Amino acid sequence: RGGYVARDDRRRREAMRPFKERLVQLLLEWGPLQLSGAARLLGRDRQFKQAMSEQRLRFPTFLELFDDLATSGRGQQTIVGLARR
């Protein structure tokens, strides 16, 4: 069947919230992480991979769902951290 499904950020945000909270814990513990390292740490959880697939998300898009996560740099040098309040 397939077909286009509107990207519902509210639904995606709800589905991904537990993983965001896990990422926040990792950032508080370790400090800012490289994009690939953060993705690898979360990716150890099979449920995270499953949810990313179901929501049709890539890691940078997952980060954009949440205002309290911030990225800096580009490409291989992208760093994930907590947004300053």
Side-chain angles (χ1 to χ4, degrees), residues 22-33 38 69 80-82:
R22 173 77 181 118
L23 179 57
V24 168
Q25 287 302 318
L26 290 168
L27 292 170
L28 290 171
E29 254 175 69
W30 296 80
L33 297 166
L69 299 174
V80 181
L82 296 173

Side-chain angles (χ1 to χ4, degrees), residues 26 29 31 33 36 45 48 50 61 65 67 70:
L26 290 168
E29 254 175 69
L33 297 166
S36 58
D45 182 348
F48 176 71
Q50 180 73 33
T61 315
L65 290 174
D67 294 339

Side-chain angles (χ1 to χ4, degrees), residues 3 8-9 17 30 36 38 47 49 54 59 65 67 69 75:
D8 180 351
D9 282 348
R17 187 172 315 281
W30 296 80
S36 58
Q47 290 175 325
K49 289 181 180 177
E54 286 171 4
F59 197 69
L65 290 174
D67 294 339
L69 299 174

Side-chain angles (χ1 to χ4, degrees), residues 32-56:
L33 297 166
Q34 276 194 311
L35 189 69
S36 58
R40 196 172 301 118
L41 285 169
L42 284 178
R44 290 180 181 167
D45 182 348
R46 180 176 285 140
Q47 290 175 325
F48 176 71
K49 289 181 180 177
Q50 180 73 33
M52 290 287 281
S53 174
E54 286 171 4
Q55 298 302 321
R56 295 197 177 137

